[in-house]
Amino acid sequence: MIVPWLNDSGQTQCVLADRGDVLISQMTHFAQEWDPRSPEVQRDQVAAFDDMRRRQPVAWSDLLGWTFFRHADVVRALLDTDTFSSEVSRHLSVPGGMDPPRHTKYRRLINPYFSPARMAEFEPVCREVARDLLEVLRDREDVEFTSEVTLPFAVAVQSRFLGWPREIESEIARWIRRSQRATREQDRTVLSQVAGEFEEIIHRLLDARVSAPDGRDLTASLMREQIEDRPLTREELTSILRTWTAGEIGTVSASVGILIHFLRNRPELCEILRSQTQKIEEASDEILRLHGPLVMSRRVTTREVEVCGRVILAGQRVSLNWISANRDEEVFADAHEFRFGRDPGKNLLYGIGIHACPGAPMARLEMRVFLEEWLNSGIEWELDPEEAPVNAFFPDSGFSKLPLILHASEPMLRS
Ligand code: HEM
């Protein structure tokens, strides 16, 4: 039986499932009320989730168990960690699959890696990656933006952040594409292979640092960390690095594609962001509120609980739908419109509570730097009239293909 395993970002579903993952939840059968993989949902996930939130805000599917679509119910589950546990799988997932007090210790260890000082130090590297990718586009008339820009950008940034060699970047990009295809096609043999391949890549990178223990890069520094007066185990290190790469590269890549797709025919907004760069971060959070890059995160109930009139027994799987919660009309006025000046506390893009994204400063840095470089590159862009964008398939969001037509003019400015 394939039991889906999702990381915090819901991006590597089934990869580990096929390696024997067992959910710690009761397998209860209810009448299926929706199917996240149905063609109707896949045609337009955002619209389908809007529809579910209005019609059936807490709904059962065989694949995910209970899904919460309303902002209020998602927030309730995020804040009530006693009732909604993150220990959804017997596979180690540091720290996403942990509850307090264990979770707290690992978060203390991870948080400093995304401090303002580290982000400031990393910004020039991130900018160089964006500039190199965009420079090549200046001579092009068209581009498949996902495979040629957003994925290589996300891979290169993450890989350089961790201090990995450049040769590994194309290997990781290939791995992500293979993993996404295998997840889509539900090919168990390939799923099992790709899971093993990723661990092999990480082990190779760790082995290289065992033989050079004084290394100054971030991976070497993680290897020197202590938890409860002992070094992190190989399994813990692999789990941390898997979340920071396999999990989040897909989310960052989807986010950049969503931003560029949204801005394609909004010249006034582009002009505001060009002239007032301090507004880029707010704009990016708002665009990604409208079209979330992350579909869902999982929890499991520890006791019986009533949510939105539905009784959920103890030990049941729960999926928190970020895309829907962030478009809830009960919380956001004109919820489906872009607006400056919204209450940032209500936007669930990076989660809330103890599991709120530790990598948010890095993700925001990536969005800001990419948009600054893109908007000042002088490249004009539009959708390809002959080839429509292809929506990503659940559990991914954004666009699996984003063909664009490019018109190059002079770069606006360069700092
Ligand atoms: C646009 C990009 C990103 C988005 C939208 C995003 C969103 C989120 C969300 C919503 C959560 C909470 C999950 C939950 O409550 O179950 C989360 C957790 C997490 N994210 Fe991100 N994330 C992004 C990028 C990153 C990056 C770049 C990293 C690291 C390099 C990262 C590392 C993590 C980790 C380790 C967790 C688990 C935290 C915990 O359980 O305490 N994320 N992310």
Side-chain angles (χ1 to χ4, degrees), residues 7-9 78 86 93-98 103 107 110-111 114 158 161 240 243-245 248-249 251-253 255-256 288 292-294 296-299 320 322 348-360 362-364 366-367:
N7 72 351
D8 312 289
S9 319
L78 292 169
S86 290
S93 175
V94 183
M98 296 175 165
H103 171 266
R107 271 302 289 257
I110 284 171
N111 287 347
F114 303 97
Q158 204 58 34
F161 180 64
I240 293 173
T243 316
W244 292 10
T245 49
E248 303 309 341
I249 283 169
T251 319
V252 169
S253 167
S255 301
V256 178
L288 298 176
L294 200 60
M296 49 159 286
S297 291
R298 291 193 309 157
R299 298 292 190 268
L320 310 176
W322 300 109
L348 299 179
L349 176 62
Y350 294 104
I352 54 163
I354 61 165
H355 291 279
C357 181
M362 170 138 177
R364 288 198 169 106
E366 291 180 65
M367 301 307 128

Side-chain angles (χ1 to χ4, degrees), residues 257-415:
I258 290 168
L259 294 176
I260 298 307
H261 179 264
F262 183 87
L263 290 170
R264 75 192 182 281
N265 49 12
R266 289 180 168 79
E268 301 85 8
L269 180 55
C270 289
E271 202 36 59
I272 291 173
L273 302 183
R274 231 175 246 125
S275 55
Q276 302 174 56
T277 48
Q278 75 281 7
K279 289 197 163 177
I280 288 184
E281 191 168 298
E282 184 187 352
S284 155
D285 280 12
E286 171 69 351
I287 296 167
L288 298 176
R289 178 191 70 76
L290 288 166
H291 186 165
L294 200 60
V295 177
M296 49 159 286
S297 291
R298 291 193 309 157
R299 298 292 190 268
V300 60
T301 50
T302 58
R303 62 177 179 89
E304 187 177 308
V305 59
E306 191 182 323
V307 180
C308 209
R310 308 291 301 256
V311 175
I312 300 179
L313 303 175
Q316 294 205 329
R317 293 170 292 150
V318 171
S319 135
L320 310 176
N321 191 299
W322 300 109
I323 294 183
S324 169
N326 251 345
R327 294 169 55 85
D328 191 337
E329 301 82 352
E330 303 247 322
V331 175
F332 301 98
D334 296 321
H336 303 172
E337 278 176 25
F338 175 94
R339 271 196 190 172
F340 281 114
R342 291 195 190 269
D343 176 356
K346 290 183 177 158
N347 189 337
L348 299 179
L349 176 62
Y350 294 104
I352 54 163
I354 61 165
H355 291 279
C357 181
M362 170 138 177
R364 288 198 169 106
L365 169 74
E366 291 180 65
M367 301 307 128
R368 175 173 61 75
V369 164
F370 188 90
L371 282 184
E372 280 173 6
E373 291 301 318
W374 176 256
L375 293 170
N376 290 316
S377 66
I379 299 172
E380 301 293 333
W381 72 109
E382 58 182 318
L383 293 186
D384 186 336
E386 289 177 11
E387 212 186 337
V390 179
N391 291 330
F393 194 85
F394 181 90
D396 293 327
S397 179
F399 304 97
S400 62
K401 278 197 179 156
L402 185 54
L404 298 180
I405 300 289
L406 307 175
H407 313 276
S409 57
E410 282 311 299
M412 306 289 176
L413 56 92
R414 273 275 155 95
S415 54

